[in-house]
Amino acid sequence: MIGPTGGAGTSRWAKAWSLTRETVPMLIFALLGLFFSGLELDRVSTWPAFVKVDKFLILVPILFNLKGNLEMNLSMRMTTAVRCDALTQANMGELDNYRTRRALVTGNMALLQVQSLIVSCAAGILSFELGHHDRSESNDMARRGPVHSTKPVMDKALRLRDGYFEFALVLSVAQFTASISSAFQGAFVCACTIWARYFGLNPDNIVVPLAGSFGDLVTMTCLSLCGSAFVFFEGTGFATALFVVLILASLVFAVMTARNAYVHELLGSGWLSLFAAAALSSLAGLVLERNAGRYHGYPLLAPVIAGIPGITAAVHASRLTSALHSKHFVARTRPSHGAGYIPVDAQAAEASPPMSWRQQLLESLQPQVLEWDSPIVLLFHAVVVQALFVLALHLSGTLIIDWAFSVALITVCILLAAGALALAHTLCLFLWYWDYDPDTTCLPITSALVDAMAQVCLQGAFAATQKIT
């Protein structure tokens, strides 16, 4: 669906080979990043800070989704700027000129900080509410000590559970983690995009997988270190003071973004999709928090099972969005005003009467595909990479996997990858039809739904395999 369709079989094989040559190495790097994220999550889930403040586990999928969305949205904007013809800054020389390239990068970095600080604040509030415990249970858990002790020993972290100080702790950890990881990942994405342009590579196939994988590893590292460090200051005013500083910093970055000519229009767009994605990802957080200690190896598998289909869908959405902006793929559209539907074909416009909103809704959901090569190749890549991952886990002894669970896991991988690609394709064209930019609205919803489906499917694979065996 990207570019004009080729009539010869050799052209299709050439395009498939070009996609494979650039995508597979990046998916392998992405797999490594997700694997190390899973190892780290499996390890830190038993740390004292994550046991005492279990809201941190609920935060993990939300922050993963948030950071992945922000960095991949940035990469989609940058790669679209690289590939479009006379529609974006890149083709007017902005990315090749030092001053304009610097303004474009600094503006996107400031916008990234604003988005990460504000949405992570909402993520912290959401994870705190979802992880709220029954007070009587908390009081029973807080009393620890010898059986014959006359005065029970009170654990400070458990005594403060669900109170203001834990609320401030979760908020400050969420915001500080999002801010630090955004700084690292944003600089990495911008550098990779410029590097890919310099060497003549397609950044859609390279930057998006790297942004979606190593962002999880950086976020997991920041969350584990910040959570373990800040928990020692629980009960003091440290978390509150840090929260105030970060809110003021978000205002400063908002002013910087508003004064930047390249990104100031983006300051008021894309928020609904980011907040909706955070709400959807909270479902994945609840499933992860409940199953992390119930099933052996669940935290190790969760990032990869959810990450590879999400990254594959992001690559497809990025390629499709670039093709739409560059007019290599002409999809159905409607005018932004309310004058009625206008078909793409000018002759059909004269013969067709105006369509009702119900007819337009049905038409906007119809699949439009020029070729099936790219999505099929991406689906094959995702399934093979995940199958190799499961095989490597079994052969290395990192996780003992029997045949029933292997079959269930591969089935889940195929269904998730196919569903993610179909969802990204449909949603991207749906948003384009209704005059929304898929660069900022498609990916958050897609990745959040894939994360939630992946957690539920992985839990179902564990549960079904236990019943069989």
Side-chain angles (χ1 to χ4, degrees), residues 2 14 34 44 53 82-83 94 99 109 133 166 179 183 192 200 205 222 247 254 278 325 337 377 383 422 446 462:
I2 307 303
L34 293 170
V44 303
V53 188
V82 169
R83 296 191 64 197
E94 265 76 352
R99 291 184 177 179
M109 292 289 291
H133 299 82
E166 187 177 73
S179 178
C192 284
N205 302 334
C222 293
I247 291 296
H325 279 288
H337 52 79
V377 170
V383 174
T446 301
F462 272 102

Side-chain angles (χ1 to χ4, degrees), residues 371-396:
E371 61 174 50
W372 292 97
D373 299 349
S374 298
I376 290 177
V377 170
L378 289 173
L379 174 63
F380 178 75
H381 293 167
V383 174
V384 169
V385 166
Q386 288 181 299
L388 292 176
F389 168 73
V390 174
L391 180 62
L393 285 181
H394 181 72
L395 294 178
S396 64

Side-chain angles (χ1 to χ4, degrees), residues 44-121:
V44 303
S45 62
T46 59
W47 285 11
F50 282 74
V51 173
K52 293 178 180 180
V53 188
D54 50 0
K55 284 85 170 175
F56 290 159
L57 275 179
I58 302 178
L59 261 180
V60 170
I62 303 177
L63 287 181
F64 276 9
N65 180 266
L66 168 64
K67 297 304 297 118
N69 288 333
L70 292 180
E71 270 84 46
M72 283 194 280
N73 277 345
L74 171 62
S75 65
M76 288 175 69
R77 291 197 301 269
M78 297 292 288
T79 54
T80 298
V82 169
R83 296 191 64 197
C84 289
D85 298 328
L87 293 176
T88 57
Q89 300 91 344
N91 294 281
M92 293 183 287
E94 265 76 352
L95 283 180
D96 298 323
N97 183 275
Y98 172 75
R99 291 184 177 179
T100 53
R101 181 175 66 238
R102 180 179 178 182
L104 184 64
V105 170
T106 54
N108 276 286
M109 292 289 291
L111 175 64
L112 200 62
Q113 287 293 322
V114 176
Q115 292 174 331
S116 62
L117 287 171
I118 293 178
V119 182
S120 62
C121 179

Side-chain angles (χ1 to χ4, degrees), residues 31 51 128 162 176 257 262 279 293-294 320 369 390 428 440 467:
L31 177 63
V51 173
F128 180 82
D162 298 330
F176 192 76
T257 305
Y262 296 97
R294 181 184 303 177
L320 181 56
V369 182
V390 174
C428 185
T440 57
K467 289 183 180 180

